[in-house]
Amino acid sequence: MVLERASGFPVYQLDLWMGGEDHCREMLYRAASEADVILVEGVMGLHDGTPSSADLAQRFGIPVLAVVDGSAMAQTFGALAHGLATYRPGVPFAGVLANRVGSATHMALLKESLPPGLRWFGALPRDEALALPERHLGLVQAAEVADLEARIDHAAQAIGPLINSIASPVSFAAPPQSEPLPQLLAGVRIAVARDAAFSFIYAANLDTLRNLGAELVFFSPLRDSALPDAHSLYLPGGYPELHLQQLSANTRMRDAVRAHHAKGLPIVAECGGMLVLLDQLAAHDGVPVSMWGLLQGNAALQKRFVNLGLHAVQLPEGLLHGHSFHHACMDTNMTAVTHSFAQRTLGHGEPVFRKGRLHASFVHLYFPSNPQAVAQMFSVSPL
């Protein structure tokens, strides 16, 4: 969301496991057809995960600029930069940029520590005006940072002169020709929850629903007192725990969602979207607040991650990929219809619950991984 505000364009995820190589190639090719510069922000460390940001960079020839926190380093900065550049042969490593540098003398120490051949792109100072506020699960959402535009402008002025010549032109091969998606959701109107409490939505998920023929209408469970006129309902993840009293007090929305379910109409609820459907939800203070009571059980936010990682789930509709990322611990007597399986060996699966046409799980599904299965989940009648 911050990158969307900074660039003025929608931001998409490139994930070789969730979406696959052809999907990533198609998005890069489409972006290169429309823009002069493409910024790919690596998740976690350069070599973390399988596949990693390094895998993506090597697969598509995307030059890597390592932004390294130099605040507590001198010559070790050079050792770390050297390790990132040489740890894996074949990664197109462009160079390094130092972050949170204390002074001109500190900058000189960092620059001098680099081995020959490793390019120095410059340094950013230790400056609170360049930082972004954080909370559990990551950054404070863009819409909640009152001075975000000023912070972005300040950062642009600081970093612009450093990276004007970062990259040589990169060519992306045309993706394999693919057939348009069948219009399996033609005539289906899907109401999508989108506000400060429900905002973790992949742009590619919305594109997939539209490409399947669906009409999307958006609403706010925080502010609205009724659902839009819709056949299906999508409750994505977000931060319901930050708005418990407002969600609990919105009894008209609660009743509308329960009436939608009582009609046998589809609901897909992911992570935060599932938590609001429970009997009670407690934030980090541990105080339970009544929720919408469509699903039996309670949940409470923990101080540490409960689950994090890439997941796949075999549903009756088909196999879908996605991820899990939450602090909530759930207590329920409901029987799971299946469990996701984690992509990494040490991960643990997430339960998946079904109640009529309601699908609920902590897993954030990536719809492009199986559009036909998604169509079945949102379709009013069997396909």
Side-chain angles (χ1 to χ4, degrees):
M1 288 178 262
V2 173
L3 292 174
E4 285 188 354
R5 289 280 289 273
S7 67
F9 290 92
V11 172
Y12 288 81
Q13 281 65 35
L14 294 173
D15 191 289
L16 290 168
W17 187 82
M18 272 203 319
E21 181 176 343
D22 287 346
H23 176 65
C24 292
R25 187 181 303 280
E26 179 182 355
M27 288 194 291
L28 282 167
Y29 186 79
R30 187 170 67 239
S33 302
E34 300 171 357
D36 298 314
V37 178
I38 300 172
L39 171 66
V40 181
E41 180 192 31
V43 175
M44 302 173 68
L46 176 60
H47 298 286
D48 292 335
T50 306
S52 64
S53 296
D55 287 314
L56 188 78
Q58 187 168 6
R59 188 74 56 87
F60 297 110
I62 303 170
V64 174
L65 172 66
V67 181
V68 179
D69 184 348
S71 59
M73 296 185 197
Q75 285 78 9
T76 301
F77 180 88
L80 179 58
H82 173 71
L84 289 171
T86 61
Y87 177 77
R88 173 172 161 182
V91 175
F93 198 86
V96 62
L97 186 148
N99 196 17
R100 301 182 68 210
V101 175
S103 66
T105 301
H106 186 201
M107 180 182 71
L109 283 172
L110 301 180
K111 183 177 181 180
E112 291 167 3
S113 74
L114 294 179
L118 192 52
R119 185 175 175 185
W120 166 265
F121 276 93
L124 292 174
R126 186 185 296 117
D127 184 351
E128 283 303 313
L130 292 173
L132 293 168
E134 299 181 59
R135 61 159 69 107
H136 67 286
L137 301 184
L139 297 174
V140 173
Q141 296 182 91
E144 301 176 56
V145 183
D147 62 344
L148 181 61
E149 297 298 333
R151 289 175 183 265
I152 290 173
D153 288 343
H154 186 53
Q157 292 170 12
I159 202 171
L162 305 180
I163 60 171
N164 276 337
S165 59
I166 179 175
S168 301
V170 178
S171 296
F172 297 109
Q177 192 69 29
S178 58
E179 295 294 326
L181 289 179
Q183 298 295 286
L184 299 175
L185 293 178
V188 176
R189 189 179 305 107
I190 301 173
V192 182
R194 187 168 67 179
D195 58 20
F198 303 91
S199 56
F200 295 174
I201 308 174
Y202 287 121
N205 279 10
L206 301 182
D207 287 352
T208 299
L209 293 174
R210 293 187 181 103
N211 291 337
L212 286 164
E215 175 190 352
L216 305 185
V217 290
F218 297 91
F219 73 102
S220 168
L222 288 174
R223 299 184 300 272
D224 297 338
S225 58
L227 287 172
D229 180 20
H231 306 99
S232 303
L233 178 58
Y234 181 25
L235 298 175
Y239 283 111
E241 63 270 18
L242 300 180
H243 307 273
L244 292 181
Q245 298 300 333
Q246 191 173 350
L247 288 167
S248 180
N250 196 349
T251 56
R252 290 186 177 181
M253 179 57 68
R254 175 201 66 194
D255 293 344
V257 172
R258 294 178 71 163
H260 177 95
H261 179 261
K263 295 176 184 176
L265 297 174
I267 303 175
V268 175
E270 299 175 344
C271 201
M274 175 180 69
L275 295 178
V276 78
L277 298 180
L278 295 172
D279 295 319
Q280 293 183 323
L281 176 59
H284 288 104
D285 60 8
V287 178
V289 177
S290 295
M291 288 289 100
W292 294 354
L294 190 52
L295 292 172
Q296 180 186 7
N298 307 309
L301 272 291
Q302 310 298 303
K303 293 183 179 179
R304 301 179 64 86
F305 282 115
V306 174
N307 208 354
L308 168 66
L310 298 170
H311 282 244
V313 57
Q314 182 65 58
L315 299 173
E317 296 83 4
L319 179 69
L320 279 138
H321 284 193
H323 83 277
S324 177
F325 184 66
H326 63 93
H327 278 224
C329 187
M330 183 173 167
D331 181 23
T332 180
N333 291 325
M334 294 186 296
T335 301
V337 296
T338 189
H339 285 75
S340 68
F341 50 94
Q343 182 257 358
R344 58 189 173 91
T345 305
L346 299 178
H348 62 274
E350 297 282 14
V352 177
F353 303 102
R354 292 284 174 95
K355 183 178 180 181
R357 291 301 310 277
L358 167 61
H359 164 97
S361 174
F362 277 115
V363 179
H364 298 257
L365 298 173
Y366 190 64
F367 294 176
S369 66
N370 192 336
Q372 287 76 12
V374 170
Q376 292 184 56
M377 295 172 70
F378 283 98
S379 177
V380 178
S381 56
L383 297 176

